[in-house]
Amino acid sequence: MEQRQLGSLTVSELGLGCMGMSAFYGGGDDAESIAVIHAAIDAGCTFLDTADIYGPFKNETLVGRAIAGRRDDVVLATKFGLEVKADGSRGINGRPEYVHSACDASLQRLGVDHVDLYYQHRVDPTVPIEDTVGAMAELVAAGKVRHLGLSEAAPDTIRRAHSTHPITALQSEYSLWTRDPEDNEVLATTAELGIGFVAYSPLGRGFLTGRFRTPDDLPEGDIRREHPRFQGENFQRNLDVVDAVHEIAAAKDCTPGQLAIAWLLAQRQDIVPIPGTKRRAYLEQNLGAVDVRLDAGDLARIEAVAPLGITSGARYADLSAVHR
């Protein structure tokens, strides 16, 4: 697998999103999930993505178990900022003192002495971004964190953060299903500042794979059942787009999911998709995307069937919409 640059950080051209192994997408199997992580590392997909809120806390512990004895083989990213309070409620917390305590807790769960990339998961509208990133910079000085990132941040916030301490990566949802970063100047801003872009949910939360033909195909307890894009008329409209993508994929002798990932890889060299899965069979499919080459004609055909704004329905409630 080839390497790409996120700012000054070198990572595999595909990463592995670990969230679904422990949260939001129905039940998981820890043994299979660890096998997926090991298989990814063995295949050269060594950029692992987790967060303290996944589980909550369970996913970091799982990833820590999986990389025990293999820490030097991976580039490890985790996130803070979506706080689980004592009463079980959740909120956004970017206070400097919380930055430090959250990092220490993540390091303990992961069983490591540092993480390679530490993201603020959502921007806290009550705390100046300079204060939050200033505390994150203290973690770098202490050797607990190597590089800093933001997630779902707006251009002005990214600029202010970057002026406080270099930001290595911006992580946001980006796919044929969600092309918002093209429309809101986020991609232009990261390119201008030399910040890498990490695309989460590059398979449209699984929709772009074509696996889901009706909402009932989603497992019980799967949070996607609550997302507008998976409901009612939106589902069928979005399925029509997926079917059109499927036709192009068939002509390229690849799966729709592989085509969707290959499309992202073809956009810019500083974009790194992190498709998630908890099954080795799907991991193998995802990794096959790096062998799919798209020429200008392919990209034009994809653009014709999946242009900016084609998706029906809101993606989900954005926890930081008031300060993006």
Side-chain angles (χ1 to χ4, degrees):
M1 185 168 294
E2 295 182 4
Q3 306 291 295
R4 291 196 168 191
Q5 289 297 129
L6 299 174
S8 58
L9 179 63
T10 302
V11 301
S12 54
E13 63 182 322
L14 283 187
L16 176 63
C18 298
M19 179 194 76
M21 299 174 180
S22 307
F24 305 125
Y25 291 173
D29 179 331
D30 283 359
E32 175 65 10
S33 293
I34 289 174
V36 168
I37 293 172
H38 288 169
I41 297 170
D42 292 341
C45 177
T46 54
F47 181 35
L48 306 182
D49 184 89
T50 183
D52 56 6
I53 196 64
Y54 301 158
F57 314 127
K58 294 177 182 178
N59 196 241
E60 285 185 324
T61 301
L62 175 70
V63 172
R65 288 168 55 199
I67 66 172
R70 305 191 67 173
R71 175 65 183 92
D72 293 341
D73 296 336
V74 302
V75 176
L76 182 60
T78 192
K79 313 175 196 72
F80 77 95
L82 297 181
E83 180 185 21
V84 179
K85 301 178 182 179
D87 62 0
S89 63
R90 300 182 182 185
I92 300 173
N93 192 341
R95 296 192 303 273
E97 62 274 18
Y98 181 71
V99 174
H100 284 272
S101 63
C103 182
D104 287 343
S106 287
L107 292 177
Q108 184 175 19
R109 284 188 292 268
L110 289 162
V112 299
D113 62 5
H114 75 279
V115 294
D116 300 294
L117 179 57
Y118 199 45
Y119 294 101
Q120 182 184 18
H121 208 155
R122 290 293 187 275
V123 175
D124 186 340
T126 69
V127 179
I129 192 66
E130 293 84 355
D131 292 353
T132 303
V133 174
M136 295 168 71
E138 293 171 356
L139 298 174
V140 176
K144 297 178 180 181
V145 170
R146 297 287 168 82
H147 301 269
L148 302 185
L150 301 176
S151 180
E152 294 284 354
D156 181 62
T157 302
I158 297 168
R159 292 181 186 281
R160 289 166 53 201
H162 193 62
S163 67
T164 302
H165 185 281
I167 299 299
T168 292
L170 186 282
Q171 181 177 142
S172 288
E173 184 171 356
Y174 186 34
S175 67
L176 285 172
W177 163 273
T178 298
R179 295 179 61 175
D180 304 28
E182 299 175 24
D183 197 34
N184 59 19
E185 296 299 312
V186 167
L187 278 170
T189 302
T190 57
E192 175 191 338
L193 298 177
I195 297 170
F197 189 97
V198 176
Y200 78 80
S201 293
L203 296 173
R205 302 181 182 275
F207 204 103
L208 290 170
T209 66
R211 287 171 49 212
F212 306 120
R213 306 303 298 179
T214 75
D216 291 336
D217 290 337
L218 293 164
E220 290 295 332
D222 191 309
I223 198 172
R224 288 171 290 191
R225 286 176 172 262
E226 302 173 13
H227 293 173
R229 292 182 177 180
F230 285 84
Q231 297 175 341
E233 294 181 356
N234 289 336
F235 190 100
Q236 185 57 52
R237 292 195 188 102
N238 292 329
L239 190 60
D240 291 342
V241 176
V242 170
D243 287 343
V245 170
H246 194 124
E247 292 181 9
I248 299 173
K252 294 292 294 183
D253 195 26
C254 67
T255 69
Q258 288 171 338
L259 187 78
I261 295 171
W263 178 84
L264 275 171
L265 290 170
Q267 298 307 299
R268 278 190 354 210
Q269 284 295 310
D270 62 349
I271 293 176
V272 176
I274 53 168
T277 184
K278 50 191 174 184
R279 297 180 179 88
R280 280 170 283 184
Y282 293 144
L283 172 70
E284 185 176 353
Q285 286 185 23
N286 292 343
L287 296 183
V290 302
D291 298 320
V292 178
R293 298 288 182 260
L294 302 178
D295 60 25
D298 296 324
L299 294 172
R301 284 188 286 276
I302 295 170
E303 183 68 25
V305 301
L308 178 67
I310 190 66
T311 311
S312 296
R315 58 190 182 114
Y316 67 113
D318 190 336
L319 294 173
S320 61
V322 293
H323 194 61
R324 293 188 62 229

